[in-house]
Amino acid sequence: MHQPEYRDLQTGEFKLPWTYLHVIKDYVDMVAHLEAVPTAKAVVNFAPILLEQIEEYAKQVNSYLHDRVTMTDPLLAALVDVSIPANSEARLKLIRDCLRANRERQIDRYPAYKKLAEMAEWLELHYDALMYVNSQFLSDFLVWYHLAWMGETVKLSDSRVKSLIEKGTGYSLHDRIEIVEIIGDLLANVICRYKVLVKKGQLELSVTPYAHPIMPLLLDLQTTQEAMPNALMPELTAYPGGEERVAYHLEKGVQVFKRFFGFKPKGCWPSEGGISAQTLKVLGDFGFEWTASGGSVLRNSLHLPENTVPACIHYPFKLKKTAIACFFRDDGLSDLIGFQYSKWHADDAVADFIRHLETIAATQPADAVVSVIMDGENAWEYFPENGYHFLSALYKNLSQHPAIELATFSECLKAKAVVKPLAKLVAGSWVYGTFSTWIGDSDKNRGWDMLGEAKAAFDQAVAGKCLSPKQLKAAEIQLAVCEGSDWFWWFGDYNPGEAVSNFEKHFRLNLANLYRLLGEQPPSYLALSFTQGSGAPAMGGAMRPGVEL
C-alpha cells in the first residue's frame, strides 16, 4: 500500500486527500478482513512515506479535536468550518471535491448523496447560481462524501456511522465534528492493528524504498530498453548519483519502517515491482531475503536463450550472482481480482478464483507457490460494498481449503520452498513487464529531464558546501519526494485530465521547492504545465493490469 507525498513540505498543506480517505476506506477494511479470519495469512507492504502521512494526519486530527488547531488538509478543514466559502470559485472547488467518488458504488448507493450529486452537477453548469448555495447544502455534501468513503467494516460496526447514514440530511456542525472524531479513531489505530496481526504470526509486513522511486531507472535509465528496445528516451542519459539515491531511499525507508513497527522487514516490494539485475543485487546486499515483481518480467526473462524454462513457473527464482529470492506475480489471477471480479457476484468470483488455484494444484508440483499480488487501495471502490462480500468469502474459503495453503513469502522460504535459478533477467515492472508507465514518451521523458536538472543543482549545492546540516536534510527529503514514481505514472494524455493536472502541478511544486531549499530561483519552465490528459483508462487510470491488452 502506498500513497505519494501529498503535502507541500514547505507549507505543510495536503494538496490531495487520498491518504486519509484510503485509510478510512481501504486500509481499515483490509486489516478487518484478516482479523475476522484468524487462520488467513497475507503479506502487506507499506511505503514509508505513507506511514509518515498517516502519522501526520492522526496528529492533526487529534490537535483539532483537543485544541481546535486548524487542519492543513483543505477538505478536512472544510468539514468542520463554521462558515462556507464566500466566493463562487471556492464553492465550486469544494463541490467538485465532493464528487470525487465512484458514481455507481459510492454515490448512487445512497439516495441522499445521489440527490446532492445531481444538484452539484447542475451547479457546475450554472456558475452564476453558486452564489445562492447555502451552508446546509455544503454541510450535507461534505458529510455524505466522507460517509461514502468509510470502509464497509466501519459502516457495519460503528454505531456513530450507522446513525449518521440513517439521518440522511440536515447535518449539523456537531455531526461534522463527529465525522472527524471517527476519522481520528481510524487513523490512530490502523497501524497498531497491523502490528497485532504480525505478533500473532498471521501477517508479514514488507517495505518499499522511502518515497517510492523506480529503483532500476535511478540506477540505470538504459534498463528501459531491455524490455522496450525502441523506446523513446529522455535527453538525460543517466540519473546522476543514482546508486547513492537508491541507498538513501532504502536506508531511510527501513529507518522509518522500524520506527513504526519495531523491526527490520525481511522483504522489500520494490516500487511497482520494478527490478533489474543491478536492483536485485542491491536489495540482496542490503540484507533483504525476498523481493517480488510481475509475472511479465519473468516471462520476458524466460524467453532469453540463457535461461532454461522450468516445467512449472510457480516458484521463487534467484538471479545468478545475487543473494535474494524473487517471487513473481501470477498476473492472470491478480488481474481477475483487480479488473474483472468487481462485476461478478461475490460467491461466483470466489468460486472461480479457487477453481483456477485448484487447477494449478492438480497439474503442478505440490510445492508450487502462487503469488497473488494486489493493489491495496484502488480496486475495492469498484466492488459492491468496497469488496466486503468478496474478501470475506475469499479469506474464509481459502483458509479452509484442503489443497491450498495460505502463507507469507518468508514462511515459504523458511519451509525450504524450491528456489529456481535464473541466469539472466530482463528489467521491468509489474505493469506490462516494462517501464513504459514511467518513461518512454515525450511527457514522461520531459519529467525525467526536469528531475535530472534539479538533481544536478542539488549535487552542485552539496559539492559547494552551500547547505547547513539542517538545510541538507530538508533538501534530501524534498529530492526524495521528487524522485517518487507516482508523478511519472500520471504524465501522458491517455490519463484523465484532472488527475494529470493535479499530479503534474504537484511535481512542479516539488521541484520548485527543492530549488528554493538549495537557495536558487526555480527555473521559469516550472511555472508552465508540460502535460495534459484527456483519456479515460480502465479504473480511472489508478490501476493497470500486469499484461498489456
mmCIF file of all heavy atoms in Angstrom, residues 312-329:
data_model
loop_
_atom_site.group_PDB
_atom_site.id
_atom_site.type_symbol
_atom_site.label_atom_id
_atom_site.label_comp_id
_atom_site.label_asym_id
_atom_site.label_seq_id
_atom_site.Cartn_x
_atom_site.Cartn_y
_atom_site.Cartn_z
ATOM 1 N N CYS A 312 7.342 -25.801 -14.359
ATOM 2 C CA CYS A 312 6.385 -25.007 -13.588
ATOM 3 C C CYS A 312 7.043 -23.696 -13.194
ATOM 4 O O CYS A 312 8.175 -23.694 -12.691
ATOM 5 C CB CYS A 312 5.941 -25.778 -12.338
ATOM 6 S SG CYS A 312 4.909 -24.812 -11.193
ATOM 7 N N ILE A 313 6.368 -22.591 -13.447
ATOM 8 C CA ILE A 313 6.959 -21.281 -13.119
ATOM 9 C C ILE A 313 6.466 -20.744 -11.775
ATOM 10 O O ILE A 313 6.863 -19.658 -11.365
ATOM 11 C CB ILE A 313 6.663 -20.243 -14.222
ATOM 12 C CG1 ILE A 313 5.148 -20.010 -14.354
ATOM 13 C CG2 ILE A 313 7.270 -20.665 -15.549
ATOM 14 C CD1 ILE A 313 4.785 -18.848 -15.253
ATOM 15 N N HIS A 314 5.599 -21.485 -11.100
ATOM 16 C CA HIS A 314 5.069 -21.008 -9.819
ATOM 17 C C HIS A 314 6.045 -21.311 -8.684
ATOM 18 O O HIS A 314 5.764 -22.107 -7.779
ATOM 19 C CB HIS A 314 3.694 -21.627 -9.546
ATOM 20 C CG HIS A 314 2.623 -21.061 -10.424
ATOM 21 N ND1 HIS A 314 2.031 -21.768 -11.440
ATOM 22 C CD2 HIS A 314 2.039 -19.829 -10.449
ATOM 23 C CE1 HIS A 314 1.126 -21.019 -12.047
ATOM 24 N NE2 HIS A 314 1.108 -19.836 -11.461
ATOM 25 N N TYR A 315 7.173 -20.644 -8.749
ATOM 26 C CA TYR A 315 8.222 -20.770 -7.730
ATOM 27 C C TYR A 315 8.923 -19.425 -7.590
ATOM 28 O O TYR A 315 8.892 -18.602 -8.520
ATOM 29 C CB TYR A 315 9.273 -21.812 -8.150
ATOM 30 C CG TYR A 315 8.810 -23.252 -8.085
ATOM 31 C CD1 TYR A 315 8.405 -23.919 -9.235
ATOM 32 C CD2 TYR A 315 8.780 -23.937 -6.881
ATOM 33 C CE1 TYR A 315 7.979 -25.235 -9.189
ATOM 34 C CE2 TYR A 315 8.362 -25.256 -6.818
ATOM 35 C CZ TYR A 315 7.960 -25.901 -7.969
ATOM 36 O OH TYR A 315 7.539 -27.201 -7.916
ATOM 37 N N PRO A 316 9.600 -19.205 -6.474
ATOM 38 C CA PRO A 316 10.535 -18.079 -6.429
ATOM 39 C C PRO A 316 11.760 -18.408 -7.268
ATOM 40 O O PRO A 316 12.078 -19.575 -7.491
ATOM 41 C CB PRO A 316 10.878 -17.955 -4.944
ATOM 42 C CG PRO A 316 10.640 -19.326 -4.384
ATOM 43 C CD PRO A 316 9.509 -19.907 -5.180
ATOM 44 N N PHE A 317 12.436 -17.369 -7.736
ATOM 45 C CA PHE A 317 13.645 -17.532 -8.543
ATOM 46 C C PHE A 317 14.776 -16.721 -7.912
ATOM 47 O O PHE A 317 14.543 -15.745 -7.188
ATOM 48 C CB PHE A 317 13.411 -17.039 -9.977
ATOM 49 C CG PHE A 317 12.569 -17.968 -10.812
ATOM 50 C CD1 PHE A 317 11.189 -18.044 -10.628
ATOM 51 C CD2 PHE A 317 13.147 -18.766 -11.788
ATOM 52 C CE1 PHE A 317 10.407 -18.893 -11.390
ATOM 53 C CE2 PHE A 317 12.371 -19.617 -12.569
ATOM 54 C CZ PHE A 317 11.001 -19.680 -12.369
ATOM 55 N N LYS A 318 15.986 -17.125 -8.213
ATOM 56 C CA LYS A 318 17.154 -16.373 -7.750
ATOM 57 C C LYS A 318 18.068 -16.138 -8.945
ATOM 58 O O LYS A 318 18.512 -17.075 -9.613
ATOM 59 C CB LYS A 318 17.904 -17.120 -6.645
ATOM 60 C CG LYS A 318 19.075 -16.323 -6.051
ATOM 61 C CD LYS A 318 19.716 -17.025 -4.871
ATOM 62 C CE LYS A 318 18.808 -17.023 -3.660
ATOM 63 N NZ LYS A 318 19.470 -17.559 -2.445
ATOM 64 N N LEU A 319 18.317 -14.864 -9.228
ATOM 65 C CA LEU A 319 19.188 -14.498 -10.330
ATOM 66 C C LEU A 319 20.648 -14.798 -9.983
ATOM 67 O O LEU A 319 21.083 -14.569 -8.858
ATOM 68 C CB LEU A 319 19.028 -13.005 -10.654
ATOM 69 C CG LEU A 319 19.855 -12.456 -11.821
ATOM 70 C CD1 LEU A 319 19.430 -13.086 -13.142
ATOM 71 C CD2 LEU A 319 19.722 -10.929 -11.877
ATOM 72 N N LYS A 320 21.361 -15.290 -10.957
ATOM 73 C CA LYS A 320 22.768 -15.628 -10.763
ATOM 74 C C LYS A 320 23.537 -14.416 -10.235
ATOM 75 O O LYS A 320 23.315 -13.284 -10.657
ATOM 76 C CB LYS A 320 23.378 -16.089 -12.096
ATOM 77 C CG LYS A 320 24.801 -16.576 -12.011
ATOM 78 C CD LYS A 320 25.240 -17.270 -13.298
ATOM 79 C CE LYS A 320 25.215 -16.321 -14.478
ATOM 80 N NZ LYS A 320 25.759 -16.971 -15.710
ATOM 81 N N LYS A 321 24.412 -14.651 -9.273
ATOM 82 C CA LYS A 321 25.266 -13.628 -8.654
ATOM 83 C C LYS A 321 24.481 -12.649 -7.780
ATOM 84 O O LYS A 321 24.936 -11.541 -7.510
ATOM 85 C CB LYS A 321 26.081 -12.861 -9.701
ATOM 86 C CG LYS A 321 27.071 -13.730 -10.458
ATOM 87 C CD LYS A 321 27.899 -12.906 -11.429
ATOM 88 C CE LYS A 321 28.901 -13.783 -12.187
ATOM 89 N NZ LYS A 321 29.695 -13.009 -13.154
ATOM 90 N N THR A 322 23.294 -13.052 -7.347
ATOM 91 C CA THR A 322 22.555 -12.251 -6.365
ATOM 92 C C THR A 322 22.211 -13.143 -5.177
ATOM 93 O O THR A 322 22.269 -14.374 -5.266
ATOM 94 C CB THR A 322 21.252 -11.654 -6.939
ATOM 95 O OG1 THR A 322 20.317 -12.701 -7.184
ATOM 96 C CG2 THR A 322 21.523 -10.899 -8.224
ATOM 97 N N ALA A 323 21.815 -12.506 -4.071
ATOM 98 C CA ALA A 323 21.570 -13.252 -2.830
ATOM 99 C C ALA A 323 20.142 -13.118 -2.356
ATOM 100 O O ALA A 323 19.865 -13.208 -1.161
ATOM 101 C CB ALA A 323 22.530 -12.748 -1.745
ATOM 102 N N ILE A 324 19.203 -12.910 -3.268
ATOM 103 C CA ILE A 324 17.829 -12.658 -2.855
ATOM 104 C C ILE A 324 16.867 -13.470 -3.715
ATOM 105 O O ILE A 324 17.047 -13.605 -4.926
ATOM 106 C CB ILE A 324 17.503 -11.145 -2.955
ATOM 107 C CG1 ILE A 324 16.136 -10.837 -2.326
ATOM 108 C CG2 ILE A 324 17.561 -10.648 -4.395
ATOM 109 C CD1 ILE A 324 15.880 -9.353 -2.152
ATOM 110 N N ALA A 325 15.853 -14.038 -3.068
ATOM 111 C CA ALA A 325 14.811 -14.767 -3.793
ATOM 112 C C ALA A 325 13.778 -13.773 -4.308
ATOM 113 O O ALA A 325 13.410 -12.825 -3.613
ATOM 114 C CB ALA A 325 14.148 -15.789 -2.880
ATOM 115 N N CYS A 326 13.312 -14.001 -5.538
ATOM 116 C CA CYS A 326 12.319 -13.115 -6.132
ATOM 117 C C CYS A 326 11.074 -13.907 -6.499
ATOM 118 O O CYS A 326 11.133 -14.881 -7.254
ATOM 119 C CB CYS A 326 12.887 -12.432 -7.375
ATOM 120 S SG CYS A 326 11.793 -11.168 -8.069
ATOM 121 N N PHE A 327 9.938 -13.501 -5.930
ATOM 122 C CA PHE A 327 8.657 -14.107 -6.262
ATOM 123 C C PHE A 327 8.029 -13.317 -7.409
ATOM 124 O O PHE A 327 8.168 -12.091 -7.476
ATOM 125 C CB PHE A 327 7.726 -14.083 -5.048
ATOM 126 C CG PHE A 327 8.175 -14.963 -3.917
ATOM 127 C CD1 PHE A 327 9.128 -14.522 -2.994
ATOM 128 C CD2 PHE A 327 7.659 -16.237 -3.765
ATOM 129 C CE1 PHE A 327 9.548 -15.328 -1.951
ATOM 130 C CE2 PHE A 327 8.063 -17.057 -2.719
ATOM 131 C CZ PHE A 327 9.026 -16.604 -1.814
ATOM 132 N N PHE A 328 7.327 -14.018 -8.284
ATOM 133 C CA PHE A 328 6.730 -13.347 -9.432
ATOM 134 C C PHE A 328 5.212 -13.511 -9.406
ATOM 135 O O PHE A 328 4.682 -14.602 -9.233
ATOM 136 C CB PHE A 328 7.304 -13.891 -10.738
ATOM 137 C CG PHE A 328 8.738 -13.495 -10.964
ATOM 138 C CD1 PHE A 328 9.777 -14.337 -10.572
ATOM 139 C CD2 PHE A 328 9.046 -12.266 -11.529
ATOM 140 C CE1 PHE A 328 11.101 -13.962 -10.764
ATOM 141 C CE2 PHE A 328 10.366 -11.885 -11.728
ATOM 142 C CZ PHE A 328 11.400 -12.735 -11.341
ATOM 143 N N ARG A 329 4.542 -12.401 -9.588
ATOM 144 C CA ARG A 329 3.090 -12.295 -9.524
ATOM 145 C C ARG A 329 2.429 -13.144 -10.610
ATOM 146 O O ARG A 329 2.830 -13.121 -11.765
ATOM 147 C CB ARG A 329 2.746 -10.822 -9.708
ATOM 148 C CG ARG A 329 1.301 -10.414 -9.756
ATOM 149 C CD ARG A 329 1.275 -8.891 -9.963
ATOM 150 N NE ARG A 329 -0.063 -8.320 -9.844
ATOM 151 C CZ ARG A 329 -0.828 -7.972 -10.864
ATOM 152 N NH1 ARG A 329 -0.408 -8.167 -12.102
ATOM 153 N NH2 ARG A 329 -2.004 -7.414 -10.662
#
